[in-house]
């Protein structure tokens, strides 16, 4: 556990680790020595040997001074280690998360990742800055006292040293069931966090359908699960703590009983017996403190394991060939591509498709057929399971990630905006862009119209996930971001499907400018979007079942002809009023 915690300390603070451990060890040994020195000091005082008592007192004062200095240093170094780890591991986790395949995030809630990055890191900081010193002292001090007592009465020293592994074994047995209970509590807490966030952001929907208070079953279920997990953690930890506390008290009673019996039998002088009883109490104190923080220590151990598990997830790393591999153009080739998510089901199977440079290819098909997945594979959001995706003749797996991302501008239906200003959200497309370039991209995407209506203009904060803007406005900002990036390949996924006619017209104008002269792969359900594509690929159950232009595919029976017929029928439907005053739809 301690070794795994130290691996999280950044390189510039690694040199503090041996200093911290040394200071903590010296602090523990000095404490033990001060406790043991009580015996000759008390013996001298009881025997009225003031001269000897003064010498022992001076020695004890020196040892206490050493303990004070070492204690101060270990506290200071522990704090510096904790703060350094907080900075280092936070950056390390951030860099690691940004390099993971997007497929890894599938099935994981934002709340569970956040708890690992925030709550677990905080537990580790507490461990390094405070708990580690308690753990080391809880071992060093009792051993030091036991060894020191050996020089006074070897029998008592042996009992002390033998009792230490017994208490350690009991503590380990007591903590066996803690980890699984803590993992359940961690998962339930993450679920509660996710449901609370959902509850606060989805109030319009929840209120419209009366799913508030106890009727919000998802939140209520998460809270109940969290309560059960909390009870389970208590049930897993309390018996062990109680057992350990009982064993500690039994050891204390055995030691006191032994000293009393030996003093009664005359084997020990009364003064020595009194001093040894005081030392026995100091022998037990660090062990008792260790028992008091055992729950926190186990929690920190679980946190350390979870952070390491996150850091051990394989990254989507740059290929060693990435520096040398340069595409000859912006064409895209899907060559026998197969891919499936974590459940093992293949979403796309043996897909082969050529997208020549500077052309537009539309991908159509029923929901769940793998259309969006193909777009994400083109941007290497996931590594393929089989086959290859090539850009300009180069496998995207052989391209440096930065070079690949510079080639691609994705514009998806679900736009994510950061809780920053409009200008900052657009500048993400190209951080080094000039103000004029940014304003021009915003003008083409009609974001300037939005800015003019807002009281703070370009400095308007869009809110969490862009909540202060409408869906169409968020899409305009997304297009402005892609325009500013000006990548040669554009991936469009249902970019206008959820927009009203006005916003759709504005967004389509921006998309035309964005895609001018670019290689475009577009996923859409609207005929107006796909009809003018250079080629259309029909995807069904992860396989391309047909390919051609709009006229070619419409002229022959098949999936696309059925698709066109369905759209024609849907376009003819309208709502009318029946003679009974009831609204009905009819062709």
């Amino acid at each position: 556990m301690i070794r795994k915690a130290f691996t999280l300390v950044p390189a510039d603070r690694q040199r503090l680790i041996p200093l911290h451990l040394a200071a903590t060890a010296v602090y523990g040994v000095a404490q033990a020595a001060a406790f043991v020195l009580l015996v000759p000091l008390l013996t001298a005082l009881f025997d009225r040997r003031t001269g000897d008592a003064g010498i022992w007192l001076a020695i004890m004062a020196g040892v206490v001074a050493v303990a004070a200095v070492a204690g101060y240093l270990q506290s200071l170094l522990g704090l510096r280690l904790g703060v350094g780890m907080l900075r280092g591991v936070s950056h390390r986790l951030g860099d690691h998360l940004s390099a993971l395949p997007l497929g890894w995030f599938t099935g994981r809630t934002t709340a569970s990742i956040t708890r690992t990055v925030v709550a677990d890191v905080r537990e580790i900081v507490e461990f390094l800055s405070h708990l580690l010193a308690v753990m080391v002292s809880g071992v060093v001090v009792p051993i030091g006292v036991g060894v020191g007592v050996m020089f006074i009465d070897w029998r008592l020293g042996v009992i002390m040293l033998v009792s230490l592994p017994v208490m350690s074994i009991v503590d380990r047995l007591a903590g066996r069931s803690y980890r699984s209970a803590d993992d359940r509590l961690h998962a339930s807490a993450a679920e509660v966090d996710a449901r609370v966030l959902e509850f606060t952001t989805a109030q319009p929907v929840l209120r419209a359908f009366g799913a508030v208070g106890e009727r919000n079953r998802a939140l209520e279920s998460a809270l109940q699960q969290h309560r059960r997990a909390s009870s389970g953690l208590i049930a897993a930890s309390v018996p062990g703590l109680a057992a350990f506390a009982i064993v500690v008290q039994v050891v204390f009673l055995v030691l006191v009983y032994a000293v009393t019996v030996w003093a009664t039998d005359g084997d020990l002088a009364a003064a020595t017996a009194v001093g040894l009883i005081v030392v026995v109490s100091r022998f037990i104190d660090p062990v008792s403190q260790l028992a008091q923080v055992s729950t926190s220590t186990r929690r920190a151990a679980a946190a350390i394991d979870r952070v390491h598990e996150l850091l051990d997830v394989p990254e989507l790393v740059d290929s060693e060939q990435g520096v040398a591999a340069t595409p000859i153009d912006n064409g895209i080739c899907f060559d026998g591509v197969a891919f499936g998510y974590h459940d093992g089901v293949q979403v796309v199977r043996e897909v082969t498709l050529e997208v020549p440079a500077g052309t537009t290819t539309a991908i159509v098909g029923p929901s769940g057929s793998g259309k969006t997945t193909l777009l994400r594979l083109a941007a290497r959001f996931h590594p393929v399971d089989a086959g290859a995706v090539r850009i300009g003749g180069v496998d995207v797996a052989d391209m440096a990630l930065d070079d690949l991302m510079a080639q691609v501008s994705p514009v998806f239906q679900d736009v994510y905006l950061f809780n920053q200003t409009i200008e900052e959200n657009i500048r993400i497309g190209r951080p080094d862009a000039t103000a004029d370039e940014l304003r021009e991209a915003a003008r083409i995407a009609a974001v300037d119209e939005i800015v003019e209506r807002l009281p703070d203009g370009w400095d308007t904060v869009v809110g969490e996930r862009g909540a202060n803007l409408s869906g169409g406005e968020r899409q305009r900002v997304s297009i402005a971001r892609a325009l500013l990036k000006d990548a040669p390949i554009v991936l469009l996924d249902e970019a206008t499907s959820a927009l009203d006619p006005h916003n759709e017209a504005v967004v389509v104008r921006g998309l035309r400018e964005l895609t001018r002269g670019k290689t475009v792969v577009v996923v859409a359900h609207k005929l107006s979007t796909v009809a003018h594509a250079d080629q259309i690929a029909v995807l069904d159950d992860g396989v391309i079942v047909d390919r051609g232009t709009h006229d070619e595919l419409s002229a022959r029976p098949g999936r696309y002809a059925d698709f066109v017929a369905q759209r024609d029928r849907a376009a003819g439907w309208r709502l009318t009023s029946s003679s009974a005053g009831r609204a009905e739809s009819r062709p």
Side-chain angles (χ1 to χ4, degrees):
M1 170 189 175
I2 296 177
R3 183 178 300 176
K4 292 180 72 174
F6 283 155
T7 61
L8 299 175
V9 177
D12 62 334
R13 298 292 175 95
Q14 287 284 331
R15 59 185 176 80
L16 299 179
I17 293 175
L19 297 176
H20 177 61
L21 291 177
T24 305
V26 170
Y27 176 64
V29 171
Q31 276 188 307
F35 296 153
V36 174
L37 287 171
L38 283 171
V39 177
L41 175 61
L42 290 175
T43 301
L45 288 174
F46 272 93
D47 293 343
R48 299 182 182 276
R49 292 182 282 110
T50 56
D52 291 344
I55 294 174
W56 288 116
L57 184 60
I59 295 174
M60 180 179 289
V63 171
V64 169
V66 171
V69 173
Y72 170 78
L73 289 176
Q74 66 93 7
S75 297
L76 180 63
L77 292 170
L79 183 61
R80 292 185 63 188
L81 275 176
V83 173
M85 196 285 301
L86 176 62
R87 171 181 53 81
V89 81
S90 296
H91 290 168
R92 186 176 169 187
L93 285 170
D95 294 341
H96 183 66
L97 285 170
S98 64
L100 293 180
L102 288 184
W104 178 84
F105 293 90
T106 305
R108 291 173 173 85
T109 65
T110 303
S112 65
I113 299 173
T114 301
R115 287 196 69 84
T116 298
V117 174
V118 178
D120 286 343
V121 170
R122 188 169 59 244
E123 292 284 353
I124 301 172
V125 170
E126 171 67 13
F127 171 75
L128 288 175
S129 59
H130 173 63
L131 295 178
L132 177 60
V134 177
M135 286 182 63
V136 174
S137 295
V139 174
V140 172
V141 173
I143 292 176
V145 170
V147 172
V149 169
M150 291 279 289
F151 293 95
I152 300 171
D153 189 292
W154 68 271
R155 298 169 299 178
L156 189 65
V158 168
I159 295 175
M160 286 180 171
L161 295 177
V162 169
S163 68
L164 290 176
V166 173
M167 290 186 287
S168 176
I169 291 172
V170 172
D171 181 56
R172 287 181 177 274
L173 292 175
R176 278 188 172 181
S177 61
Y178 183 89
R179 174 60 196 270
S180 59
D182 184 71
D183 285 343
R184 288 192 293 271
L185 181 64
H186 182 275
S188 66
E191 180 68 11
V192 169
D193 290 348
R195 293 303 180 184
V196 169
L197 179 61
E198 184 180 69
F199 180 77
T200 56
T201 57
Q203 277 298 305
V205 176
L206 294 173
R207 294 188 186 188
F209 292 94
V212 293
E214 294 183 355
R215 294 189 63 188
N216 187 350
R217 295 181 179 177
L219 177 58
E220 184 64 25
S221 175
L223 290 171
Q224 290 179 358
Q225 184 65 28
H226 185 60
R227 286 193 291 269
R228 286 194 292 268
S230 299
S231 300
L233 185 65
I234 294 173
S237 58
V238 168
L241 290 174
F244 187 68
I246 291 172
V247 171
V248 170
Q249 292 305 312
V250 168
V251 170
F252 175 73
L253 292 175
V254 168
L255 292 172
V256 171
Y257 177 79
V259 172
T260 304
V261 170
W262 293 332
T264 303
D265 292 343
D267 292 343
L268 288 174
T272 303
V274 172
L276 286 175
I277 290 175
V278 174
V279 172
V280 166
S281 66
R282 307 315 299 167
F283 169 81
I284 290 296
D285 270 358
V287 181
S288 299
Q289 291 178 7
L290 199 58
Q292 292 172 8
V293 300
S294 61
T295 299
S296 299
T297 303
R298 293 189 184 108
R299 192 164 58 240
I304 292 169
D305 287 342
R306 282 192 291 265
V307 170
H308 273 285
E309 287 169 5
L310 177 54
L311 290 173
D312 289 342
V313 177
E315 295 182 356
L316 191 64
V317 295
D318 285 345
S319 168
E320 294 181 358
Q321 306 174 33
V323 176
T326 303
I328 59 174
D329 59 28
N330 302 316
I332 304 174
C333 172
F334 297 90
D335 184 7
V337 170
F339 173 77
Y341 294 99
H342 293 293
D343 54 10
V345 178
Q346 296 243 298
V347 180
V348 294
R349 297 177 285 117
E350 294 295 325
V351 170
T352 298
L353 176 65
E354 289 280 350
V355 182
T359 66
T360 297
T361 294
I363 302 177
V364 300
S367 297
S369 59
K371 304 185 298 297
T372 297
T373 299
L374 274 184
L375 261 62
R376 295 183 181 276
L377 293 176
R380 205 189 171 202
F381 286 178
H382 314 272
V384 298
D385 295 337
V389 180
R390 299 185 179 89
I391 292 179
V394 178
D395 193 328
V396 294
D398 293 336
M399 297 176 65
L401 288 175
D402 289 344
D403 294 341
L404 174 60
M405 291 300 102
Q407 296 285 318
V408 177
S409 281
V411 180
F412 296 148
Q413 178 182 357
D414 298 325
V415 178
Y416 190 98
L417 298 185
F418 297 91
N419 190 21
Q420 297 175 317
T421 66
I422 291 179
E423 180 171 343
E424 288 170 329
N425 270 283
I426 297 176
R427 189 172 289 279
I428 291 172
R430 184 154 53 94
D432 60 348
T434 66
D436 290 340
E437 289 171 333
L438 187 145
R439 295 293 191 273
E440 178 62 14
R443 183 193 65 77
I444 295 173
V447 175
D448 54 348
E449 297 178 5
I450 305 171
V451 172
E452 290 174 0
R453 297 196 303 267
L454 298 173
D456 295 328
W458 291 101
D459 294 327
T460 300
V461 177
V462 301
E464 189 174 1
R465 298 177 180 267
N468 296 337
L469 302 180
S470 69
E473 291 171 338
R474 289 195 295 271
Q475 194 62 273
R476 293 194 213 179
V477 174
S478 173
I479 292 172
R481 182 190 291 170
L483 282 164
L484 188 63
K485 184 177 182 180
D486 195 27
I489 298 173
V490 179
L491 306 176
L492 301 176
D493 186 9
E494 302 287 358
T496 64
S497 64
L499 303 183
D500 59 78
H502 171 70
N503 272 308
E504 181 179 0
V506 173
V507 168
V508 166
R509 286 199 301 270
L511 289 175
R512 286 174 182 166
E513 187 65 29
L514 172 65
T515 58
R516 194 186 306 277
K518 308 289 178 62
T519 301
V520 182
V521 182
V522 55
V523 169
H525 287 109
K526 293 185 177 181
L527 280 176
S528 59
T529 304
V530 303
H532 300 291
D534 296 296
Q535 69 170 334
I536 301 169
V538 183
L539 199 64
D540 189 18
D541 195 23
V543 178
I544 293 180
V545 295
D546 210 347
R547 183 182 311 153
T549 65
H550 170 72
D551 292 337
E552 292 170 348
L553 294 176
S554 300
R556 62 175 181 253
R559 296 282 187 180
Y560 188 79
D562 295 341
F563 166 75
V564 172
Q566 290 174 359
R567 291 300 179 271
D568 289 341
R569 287 195 297 270
W573 283 68
R574 64 187 183 278
L575 290 175
T576 62
S577 178
S578 65
S579 58
R582 184 178 69 248
E584 63 180 11
S585 60
R586 61 175 61 175

